[in-house]
Amino acid sequence: MRIATTIPSTDETIRPARLAREVEQRGFDGLYLPEHTHIPVSRETPSPMGEPLSREYGRLLDPYVALAAAATVTERIALGTSVTLVAQHDPIALAKTIATLDLLSEGRFSLGGLGVGFGWNVEEAADHGVEWSGRRELVRDRIALMR
C-alpha cells in the first residue's frame, strides 16, 4: 500500500522543502499540493467544502514552484498537484512547467496526482477567461494539446 499526503502550502505553513523532507523521512510515498491561482474577493460561488471558505485557500503558494523546491531536497517521494485546474492555465506554458518539474524531480512529478479538475469557483475561472459552461471541453482540448 502506498500512502501520500496532501497539505495546503501557504505563507503561514511549513515551507515546502522542509515539508517534503519530513514527509520523505517519515516513509510517506508522496506529497501533493492543492492548486488555486487565487480566490476572488467578490466570490459568490459557494464552496463545496462548506462556508466560510478556509483562509488558506486564498493564501496557497504556486504548487509548481513549491514542488520544485521539494524536488531539490528529496530523492524518493512522488510529487504532484492534488487536483490540477487545467482550464486556468495556458496549455503550452503548463506543459513546459510540467516537463521542467518532471525533469528536475527525475521523473517523480505527477500532474493532477489526485486528478485533473474542472474547478468549482465560477469567479476564479472567469478571471482566467474561462466560460463556465464550456470548461469541461476546454480541459479536454488542453490535455490533448499538452500530450
Side-chain angles (χ1 to χ4, degrees):
M1 178 185 310
R2 293 182 177 189
I3 299 175
T5 187
T6 297
I7 185 168
S9 188
T10 76
D11 60 316
E12 298 177 332
T13 63
I14 185 173
R15 295 290 186 254
R18 180 169 175 209
L19 173 63
R21 279 193 304 264
E22 298 291 336
V23 165
E24 188 167 76
Q25 288 173 358
R26 284 165 173 74
F28 284 87
D29 293 300
L31 172 63
Y32 299 92
L33 301 180
E35 173 183 40
H36 279 281
T37 58
H38 68 294
I39 299 297
V41 174
S42 63
R43 179 178 65 85
E44 295 178 22
T45 307
S47 163
M49 293 76 62
E51 294 293 338
L53 183 64
S54 175
R55 168 183 162 84
E56 64 200 8
Y57 277 87
R59 304 185 74 88
L60 291 174
L61 300 179
D62 180 290
Y64 306 100
V65 175
L67 289 166
T72 65
V73 298
T74 58
E75 297 177 353
R76 181 188 53 75
I77 60 171
L79 302 166
T81 51
S82 54
V83 175
T84 300
L85 302 174
V86 173
Q88 297 180 10
H89 294 276
D90 173 277
I92 296 169
L94 182 58
K96 186 170 187 172
T97 297
I98 292 163
T100 301
L101 189 46
D102 194 54
L103 176 73
L104 295 176
S105 69
E106 298 180 338
R108 294 181 290 134
F109 178 73
S110 174
L111 176 67
L114 302 179
V116 172
F118 304 111
W120 58 265
N121 190 322
V122 176
E123 294 80 21
E124 180 184 15
D127 287 347
H128 291 279
V130 175
E131 184 181 320
W132 193 248
S133 64
R135 73 191 189 286
R136 286 179 169 78
E137 184 176 343
L138 179 64
V139 168
R140 281 191 296 273
D141 290 347
R142 289 185 176 178
I143 292 289
L145 178 66
M146 289 190 298
R147 283 187 176 149

